[in-house]
């Protein structure tokens, strides 16, 4: 397992470098001048030139990109914001917990709704509940999150006045954002749970468990659901990463001071270090979530860990035979 984790960590390096290169290139080729945006229209050409030299904007592209990556690797330094003058890493660490909390609450809500509805829909295939759940899941997948956020604000905040529309000062402020993000996630998880359960409940060991006289609830909960969870866990892990990125629009609509809103504001100001820092931070988090999801497989299904151990033993045996033959 340790060797597998180290291998996955090494595979993350080119992915993160690619993400950084793409974002850096897009910001680099943007026609606007950050020095002019920082100093304003009243700045003289000499002041603009001096600030460009101070920020390193006159250096070649590869030099700028190399200095940025070197600062992250050697000092965990994501740079200084061009507009606030504050270290980017401090802003990320302050704002990321709100984004992580929003994504975690949303994925918990979507997992509970999606798994329960998916199991019921699979066990009652072609029933009214199955058709209704499938239709609702299609609507949830197709519905844009920003549109749903606006509709929830109009209904529960403007019309009914039950919930606040912006901020993050108490639990009531998190209800609408969590429901907004959790709706589409629940639809995806429900569809995957339903299809996985339909495949599992037709297996021979499920029929054997029923023939032994076990209750239907025990057959579904202890035999079918556990073996159907592996693709569902994959969807949940990917969904959590998507919610971290998808919180950008939701945080902007509900004015939550998280990492997504910070990135949107940085894009508007063309604050290159802030944009790069927020995107790379999300990419690193998403990569670790995928790694944790893969590790979780071995705890859900012990056969995966057993097969990994068997493959290592076969490899050592093959190496030993080769040495003996030589």
């Amino acid at each position: 397992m340790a060797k597998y984790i180290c291998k996955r960590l090494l595979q993350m390096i080119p992915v993160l470098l690619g993400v950084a290169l793409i974002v850096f290139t897009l910001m680099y080729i943007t026609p606007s001048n950050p020095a002019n945006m920082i100093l304003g229209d009243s700045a003289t050409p000499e002041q603009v030139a001096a600030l460009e030299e101070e920020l390193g904007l006159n250096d070649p592209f590869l030099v700028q990109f190399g200095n940025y990556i070197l600062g992250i690797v050697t000092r965990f330094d994501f740079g200084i914001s061009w507009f606030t003058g504050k270290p980017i890493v401090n802003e990320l660490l302050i704002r990321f917990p709100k984004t992580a909390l929003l994504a975690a609450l949303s994925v918990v809500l979507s997992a509970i709704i999606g798994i329960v509805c998916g199991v019921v829909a699979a066990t009652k295939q072609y029933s009214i509940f199955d058709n209704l759940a499938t239709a609702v899941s299609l609507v949830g997948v197709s519905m844009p999150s920003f549109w749903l956020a606006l509709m929830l604000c109009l209904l529960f905040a403007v019309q009914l006045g039950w919930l606040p529309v912006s901020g993050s000062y108490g639990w009531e402020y998190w209800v609408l954002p969590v429901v907004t993000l959790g709706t589409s996630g629940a639809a995806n998880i429900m569809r995957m749970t339903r299809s996985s359960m339909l495949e599992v409940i037709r297996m021979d060991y499920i029929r054997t468990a029923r023939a032994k006289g076990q209750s239907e609830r025990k057959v579904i909960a202890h035999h079918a659901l556990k073996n159907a969870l592996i693709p569902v866990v994959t969807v949940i892990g990917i969904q959590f990463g998507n919610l971290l990125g998808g919180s950008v629009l939701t945080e902007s609509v509900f004015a939550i001071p998280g990492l997504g809103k910070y990135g949107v504001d940085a894009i508007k100001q063309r604050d290159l270090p802030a944009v790069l820092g927020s995107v790379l931070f999300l990419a690193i988090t998403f990569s670790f979530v995928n790694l944790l999801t893969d590790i979780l497989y071995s705890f859900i299904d012990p056969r995966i860990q057993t097969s990994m151990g068997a493959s290592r033993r076969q490899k050592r045996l093959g190496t030993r035979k080769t040495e003996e033959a030589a």
Side-chain angles (χ1 to χ4, degrees):
M1 181 62 70
K3 184 178 180 181
Y4 173 75
I5 294 175
C6 293
K7 182 179 179 181
R8 287 295 305 273
L9 290 175
L10 291 176
Q11 291 175 351
M12 288 168 54
I13 296 176
V15 174
L16 297 177
L17 285 177
V19 171
L21 180 61
I22 292 173
V23 178
F24 195 94
T25 304
L26 291 176
M27 298 299 296
Y28 182 83
I29 63 179
T30 304
S32 58
N33 190 341
N36 287 329
M37 298 178 66
I38 296 172
L39 297 175
D41 297 333
S42 59
T44 62
E46 291 77 12
Q47 292 174 330
V48 173
L51 184 58
E52 288 178 346
E53 185 66 27
E54 179 182 353
L55 297 176
L57 299 177
N58 296 326
D59 295 333
F61 170 79
L62 293 179
V63 174
Q64 294 185 37
F65 180 72
N67 291 334
Y68 180 77
I69 297 299
L70 185 64
I72 296 176
V73 174
T74 57
R75 305 183 304 273
F76 197 65
D77 181 15
F78 287 87
I80 304 296
S81 174
W82 290 347
F83 284 84
T84 64
K86 298 179 180 179
I88 301 298
V89 65
N90 293 342
E91 295 290 331
L92 297 177
L93 294 177
I94 291 173
R95 297 171 182 271
F96 180 72
K98 293 186 180 296
T99 300
L101 177 61
L102 177 60
L105 293 175
S106 302
V107 79
V108 168
L109 176 65
S110 61
I112 293 174
I113 297 175
I115 292 176
V116 171
C117 293
V119 170
V120 176
T123 54
K124 300 183 181 297
Q125 189 180 13
Y126 303 129
S127 64
I128 296 178
F129 181 85
D130 183 21
N131 296 329
L132 181 62
T134 303
V136 172
S137 67
L138 290 176
V139 174
V141 171
S142 306
M143 189 184 307
S145 59
F146 68 90
W147 181 85
L148 179 60
L150 294 175
M151 294 301 102
L152 292 177
C153 288
L154 289 175
L155 178 60
F156 292 100
V158 178
Q159 297 294 333
L160 300 177
W162 291 353
L163 297 169
V165 71
S166 62
S168 58
Y169 308 106
W171 66 268
E172 65 274 11
Y173 290 86
W174 294 93
V175 175
L176 294 181
V178 168
V179 172
T180 299
L181 287 178
T183 301
S184 61
N188 287 324
I189 295 173
M190 179 267 167
R191 295 172 62 191
M192 179 56 68
T193 304
R194 179 183 180 275
S195 62
S196 182
M197 282 292 297
L198 286 175
E199 181 179 353
V200 170
I201 60 178
R202 295 187 177 96
M203 296 291 183
D204 293 337
Y205 67 90
I206 298 296
R207 288 193 290 268
T208 303
R210 287 171 176 163
K212 289 181 177 180
Q214 295 186 1
S215 64
E216 187 67 17
R217 178 180 298 180
K218 187 174 182 179
V219 170
I220 297 300
H222 293 275
H223 297 282
L225 182 58
K226 187 175 181 180
N227 290 300
L229 274 182
I230 291 182
V232 178
V233 169
T234 304
V235 173
I236 293 176
I238 296 175
Q239 193 67 36
F240 182 76
N242 291 337
L243 290 177
L244 288 173
S247 62
V248 171
L249 294 177
T250 305
E251 289 179 0
S252 300
V253 172
F254 293 102
I256 298 176
L259 196 58
K261 189 176 185 300
Y262 178 71
V264 171
D265 295 338
I267 292 174
K268 294 178 182 178
Q269 298 172 338
R270 199 171 179 264
D271 192 348
L272 177 59
V275 175
L276 277 172
S278 58
V279 172
L280 273 180
F281 207 86
L282 289 175
I284 292 172
T285 306
F286 186 77
S287 299
F288 275 104
V289 168
N290 286 336
L291 176 60
L292 292 176
T293 302
D294 292 342
I295 295 174
L296 189 60
Y297 288 164
S298 60
F299 294 96
I300 296 176
D301 190 351
R303 293 175 298 179
I304 296 177
Q305 192 168 2
T306 303
S307 63
M308 292 174 62
S311 64
R312 289 195 297 267
R313 288 192 297 269
Q314 290 178 358
K315 186 176 180 180
R316 289 196 297 265
L317 182 61
T319 304
R320 188 181 306 170
K321 289 181 178 181
T322 304
E323 293 175 353
E324 291 176 355

